Amino acid sequence: GENVEQHPSTLSVQEGDSAVIKCTYSDSASNYFPWYKQELGKGPQLIIDIRSNVGEKKDQRIAVTLNKTAKHFSLHITETQPEDSAVYFCAASLQGGSEKLVFGKGTKLTVNP
Amino acid sequence: ETGVTQSPTHLIKTRGQQVTLRCSSQSGHNTVSWYQQALGQGPQFIFQYYREEENGRGNFPPRFSGLQFPNYSSELNVNALELDDSALYLCASSPKGLLKETQYFGPGTRLLVL
């Protein structure tokens, strides 16, 4: 079945720096790739997503890139702020009736003031 | 904050007991998915409900079952609880139409099995 690998598992940056998180997926049929931010004690919050017909998408300080040939996608956060500190998850969605999401193991991002 | 709500927020059960978790989907959403998130891991898909029927299932045994009601709310039932069932259980709802794969999560129910 589908497998999603996420790196790094932890990432520490200084406030104002950029952060990049990378994911690879195994099933070439996947066509939807969301990113979630999960703060302590809360459910995952959708922050950005990309579909396979698009190579890049940006929303203010957050951007996602997709390389379908290499089967990898990345989250880029610019001008990081302490409130960006959280665990970030990438996911891939299989084609088919259920559109189930397969998640990576998460990246704990710490932004130091 | 999404419009997805879950109850209860926390629950403690003992091994062998049964538990029912509840989820109310966001207004306008007709699809509900359930995920299990173990500590330090990403969520794992349990199953999805669409139009009151199961619409896909992950690698979970039959003692995990669910329901969806006409108002699109949903329940997750787990029988014969095991210690490994301790986790955060997340419900996600999806809108109708072209954006149906976009899933919005609730805050979760944290289950502890002793």
Side-chain angles (χ1 to χ4, degrees):
Chain A
E2 173 71 287
N3 185 48
V4 175
E5 298 283 341
Q6 183 172 347
H7 298 280
S9 55
T10 61
L11 181 58
S12 182
V13 299
Q14 289 298 121
E15 184 176 359
D17 287 351
S18 294
V20 180
I21 303 170
K22 299 181 179 181
C23 290
T24 59
Y25 60 99
S26 60
D27 190 340
S28 56
S30 293
N31 63 352
Y32 174 66
F33 308 92
W35 285 88
Y36 289 87
K37 174 183 180 183
Q38 188 173 27
E39 296 174 307
L40 200 61
K42 296 186 177 181
Q45 175 195 1
L46 179 68
I47 57 171
I48 195 167
D49 56 12
I50 192 168
R51 288 172 174 81
S52 58
N53 58 345
V54 174
E56 183 173 356
K57 184 176 178 180
K58 189 174 182 179
D59 182 5
Q60 299 183 354
R61 297 186 296 108
I62 295 173
V64 57
T65 59
L66 171 65
N67 184 327
K68 284 209 71 182
T69 302
K71 291 190 286 187
H72 66 69
F73 56 113
S74 300
L75 177 71
H76 304 253
I77 306 174
T78 59
E79 301 172 22
T80 54
Q81 301 165 4
E83 50 266 38
D84 294 330
S85 297
V87 179
Y88 290 81
F89 291 98
C90 63
S93 176
L94 275 65
Q95 286 185 338
S98 71
E99 291 94 34
K100 73 174 187 179
L101 294 174
V102 178
F103 284 83
K105 291 189 174 182
T107 296
K108 183 176 181 180
L109 173 64
T110 302
V111 181
N112 301 300
Chain B
E1 294 286 336
T2 69
V4 181
T5 61
Q6 292 186 245
S7 62
T9 55
H10 296 83
L11 203 52
I12 300 175
K13 291 286 188 178
T14 56
R15 196 170 48 181
Q17 285 189 313
Q18 177 265 343
V19 69
T20 298
L21 310 181
R22 295 178 175 82
C23 170
S24 291
S25 60
Q26 188 168 321
S27 177
H29 290 191
N30 64 355
T31 301
V32 172
S33 303
W34 286 92
Y35 292 80
Q36 180 194 67
Q37 186 177 23
L39 204 59
Q41 301 294 316
Q44 284 203 317
F45 177 75
I46 302 174
F47 43 55
Q48 183 182 85
Y49 277 83
Y50 171 67
R51 292 185 175 178
E52 302 177 51
E53 292 194 358
E54 188 178 287
N55 183 44
R57 187 180 185 92
N59 190 25
F60 281 82
R63 59 189 186 84
F64 285 78
S65 63
L67 285 172
Q68 187 180 32
F69 300 100
N71 65 354
Y72 307 132
S73 66
S74 177
E75 286 183 355
L76 164 65
N77 299 289
V78 186
N79 293 322
L81 284 167
E82 301 177 359
L83 298 179
D84 284 349
D85 295 334
S86 296
L88 180 68
Y89 288 84
L90 296 161
C91 165
S93 72
S94 312
K96 303 174 186 179
L98 293 177
L99 298 178
K100 61 183 185 300
E101 69 271 277
T102 306
Q103 299 186 19
Y104 299 89
F105 284 85
T109 293
R110 188 163 294 282
L111 173 66
L112 177 61
V113 182
L114 301 176

